Amino acid sequence: MAKPWKIIDSVVTDEGVLELRQRDERDFLITVGGLVLMNSMANRSEVVLGQLACKQLKEHARPRVLVGGLGMGCTLRAVLDSLSATAEVVVAELNPVVFTWCHGPLAGLTDDAANDPRVRVEIVDVADLVRKTASNSGSEKFDAIVFDLYKGPHFHTDKTHDPLYGSRAVENVRRALKPGGVFAIWGENYDEGFDQRLRAAGFSVSHQKPGRGGLRHVVFLATLPPTEVAQQEGQRKGKT
């Protein structure tokens, strides 16, 4: 018989009670309102997400990466393992308790990735951070933006106004990336509408379903051409 889950910590949120549960040394769950958000024993897609997002940055002198959603830190660990010692990784996390968990009981899962000197965790909505970067010409843009959020794109997503996956949000991501930048997104299932919105914004898009058999989540990989952003910004300036 499987061991029963023990609640390690919990906090009330707008979406219900957020809980960290454990039953073995490395066997954890994060739930909200009783719904399982993350499972430490089933994180293949999260690891592949981080690897694919940063694959092209291995030889980059000083890459700058934004990770939306800290979770258990598995995606962050994969990102860090793909980058140089001079990289800068900004993590946007809504719930400060998740940051506390990653420093505490979850630290052993990722070699304390959240405490890596390359990492800066901000308690902020990633959509707000992307929007700020996109609209502020003085903000340093990112080489890669990674969304590892428990609600991925799906067919109910508002095509225009969704703050993460709508066309306006996709445009903000495009403007927050450097030329040739990568937008990598975790999803529970493939969503054709989201794929089309990425392509309409000028990204080339592919997707993978990591692992074999059973329920496999999807990783979207959207890449900007190396010169597209620079050309478009130049065209805009020429019209003003």
Side-chain angles (χ1 to χ4, degrees):
M1 285 183 63
K3 294 181 180 178
W5 291 100
K6 177 182 178 182
I7 298 175
I8 302 300
D9 194 14
S10 64
V11 62
V12 177
T13 73
D14 292 341
E15 297 184 83
V17 178
L18 184 69
E19 294 181 340
L20 176 64
R21 305 181 187 185
Q22 182 180 14
R23 65 181 177 187
D24 279 314
E25 183 180 358
R26 299 178 65 85
D27 197 356
F28 293 90
L29 291 179
I30 293 179
T31 67
V32 65
L35 175 68
V36 175
L37 304 185
M38 281 153 269
N39 184 333
S40 64
M41 305 300 287
N43 57 23
R44 173 67 178 165
S45 58
E46 289 90 340
V47 172
V48 171
L49 173 68
Q51 293 171 339
L52 290 177
C54 299
K55 182 179 180 180
Q56 83 289 356
L57 297 176
K58 284 184 178 293
E59 306 302 323
H60 197 294
R62 189 180 175 274
R64 191 164 191 261
V65 177
L66 170 62
V67 177
L70 177 57
M72 293 184 178
C74 298
T75 297
L76 175 59
R77 178 75 269 165
V79 165
L80 292 170
D81 288 346
S82 301
L83 299 175
S84 66
T86 55
E88 178 186 0
V89 180
V90 179
V91 179
E93 171 55 50
L94 274 177
N95 295 293
V97 70
V98 173
F99 184 41
T100 300
W101 293 344
C102 284
H103 275 297
L106 297 175
L109 295 177
T110 63
D111 295 326
D112 202 7
N115 200 39
D116 189 288
R118 294 171 288 178
V119 174
R120 183 176 83 250
V121 177
E122 297 189 15
I123 306 303
V124 65
D125 188 326
V126 68
D128 292 339
L129 184 53
V130 168
R131 191 181 304 111
K132 179 180 177 181
T133 304
S135 63
N136 187 349
S137 60
S139 296
E140 188 176 355
K141 296 187 177 183
F142 296 98
D143 296 285
I145 294 176
V146 187
F147 278 8
D148 182 18
L149 306 168
Y150 79 91
K151 288 184 179 179
H154 51 82
F155 69 94
H156 289 303
T157 298
D158 186 305
K159 296 176 176 58
T160 303
H161 301 289
D162 186 273
L164 296 168
Y165 310 116
S167 58
R168 292 181 180 178
V170 170
E171 172 65 12
N172 285 335
V173 170
R174 187 192 66 77
R175 293 173 58 205
L177 284 168
K178 298 177 184 178
V182 170
F183 183 26
I185 311 96
W186 179 92
E188 190 169 4
N189 295 290
Y190 173 73
D191 180 58
E192 183 178 2
F194 180 59
D195 187 306
Q196 292 173 349
R197 290 192 292 278
L198 291 169
R199 294 178 191 276
F203 290 93
S204 59
V205 185
S206 62
H207 70 278
Q208 293 189 22
K209 287 193 171 184
R212 297 180 179 178
L215 176 62
R216 293 183 295 161
H217 298 142
V218 63
V219 173
F220 295 87
L221 193 67
T223 306
L224 285 176
T227 59
E228 184 206 20
V229 174
Q231 289 175 347
Q232 290 190 4
E233 292 300 330
Q235 291 170 358
R236 290 192 182 97
K237 290 179 181 178
K239 294 177 180 179
T240 57

